[in-house]
Amino acid sequence: MIPLWLQAGFWGLLGGSALLLGAAIGYYAKLPQRLIAAIMAFGAGVLISALAFELMNEAYKRGGFDSTAIGFISGAAIYTLANWYLAHQGARHRKRSGKHQPSEDEDSGSGLAIAIGALLDGIPESIAIGISMIEGGTVSWVTVAAVFLSNVPEGLSSAAGMKQSGRSLRYIFGIWGLIAVVSGAAALSGYALFSHFSTEVVAATIAIAAGAILAMISDTMMPEAFEQAHDFAGLVTVCGFLAAFVLSKLGG
């Protein structure tokens, strides 16, 4: 039988691999920016639904209001501060599909900042996948599905923007390949490390992931979705939310 920690790593890797799929589409397919933005809006809706009905609900059941509230605010604050710093290093538009991303000539060091920012975006949701296996030994396939569905537009939009800024094929796929591997490691760590902690700590950690994800959606996904598809961004986001909501009820 495959150890549970290894299973957690596999599910995290699967969710992260969607970034590579999205990057391939964004790099090779010449999609209209409005379509890319609409796909991004759908992914944002999927994640919002998943954190509302899966992560926050799970955190509350495990640790109550105190652990959930403290973790949620802390996750958002930690992500916001880290994102603020990286934005000033050149990673502000890392999820933009147009000509927003600076080239290395325009902003030296921006490539590294973009890579670190992409890691920052993916780690919380991967840890949440691993933690979902602590009770019962089975993964929350709804969380995995939501992460996968949202990672495709993230990789797609960001890779399209990287190509526009003149970054190489090796650089683009090197970043997303690395992040896919790190996603697997983060999910593995989420299970292996936090299975030894108290229920309150686990609950707070789930809420931290939820807060970081919501802050990430607000800071990096929705601006891209609204700028290009503002007439329909809200409707498409609602469709993504509904899709994940249906998945959560089918999973329950």
Side-chain angles (χ1 to χ4, degrees):
M1 183 177 177
I2 302 176
L4 290 177
W5 58 269
L6 195 56
Q7 293 182 41
F10 167 77
W11 290 115
L13 181 62
L14 178 64
S17 67
L19 292 166
L20 277 172
L21 174 61
I25 297 172
Y27 190 87
Y28 290 109
K30 294 182 179 180
L31 300 179
Q33 286 193 9
R34 293 195 68 174
L35 177 58
I36 295 175
I39 297 172
M40 181 69 81
F42 185 88
V46 167
L47 274 182
I48 292 171
S49 182
L51 70 88
F53 294 106
E54 291 290 315
L55 300 184
M56 289 297 284
N57 190 49
E58 184 65 22
Y60 174 73
K61 287 194 299 184
R62 289 174 182 264
F65 278 120
D66 291 347
S67 297
T68 302
I70 292 171
F72 192 62
I73 296 297
S74 298
I78 292 168
Y79 178 89
T80 299
L81 289 173
N83 188 59
W84 174 84
Y85 174 77
L86 290 170
H88 285 77
Q89 305 305 311
R92 182 182 304 277
H93 301 301
R94 60 184 177 273
K95 282 189 170 64
R96 296 297 186 93
S97 58
K99 296 182 179 180
H100 297 83
Q101 293 187 26
S103 66
E104 200 64 26
D105 292 336
E106 294 171 332
D107 191 349
S108 178
S110 61
L112 178 61
I114 289 171
I116 296 174
L119 282 173
L120 175 69
D121 297 338
I123 287 177
E125 55 200 31
S126 299
I127 291 176
I129 289 174
I131 290 177
S132 74
M133 295 184 64
I134 290 177
E135 268 190 20
T138 57
V139 72
S140 168
W141 68 270
V142 177
T143 302
V144 174
V147 169
F148 189 94
L149 288 173
S150 64
N151 276 346
V152 171
E154 286 187 50
L156 191 160
S157 181
S158 186
M162 289 177 181
K163 184 179 180 180
Q164 289 268 15
S165 67
R167 303 195 187 277
S168 68
L169 176 69
R170 178 180 296 181
Y171 175 86
I172 293 170
F173 285 92
I175 280 185
W176 297 119
L178 173 63
I179 294 172
V181 172
V182 172
S183 296
L188 186 155
S189 300
Y191 175 81
L193 294 178
F194 290 98
S195 58
H196 302 294
F197 286 95
S198 67
T199 302
E200 288 75 16
V201 171
V202 172
T205 304
I206 295 173
I208 286 172
I213 292 170
L214 186 55
M216 180 271 289
I217 293 168
S218 302
D219 289 347
T220 66
M221 295 183 74
M222 292 310 298
E224 166 69 9
F226 182 77
E227 180 175 340
Q228 296 296 332
H230 55 272
D231 292 335
F232 301 100
L235 177 60
V236 177
T237 302
V238 168
C239 290
F241 184 97
L242 179 62
F245 174 75
V246 170
L247 284 177
S248 71
K249 295 307 176 185
L250 291 176

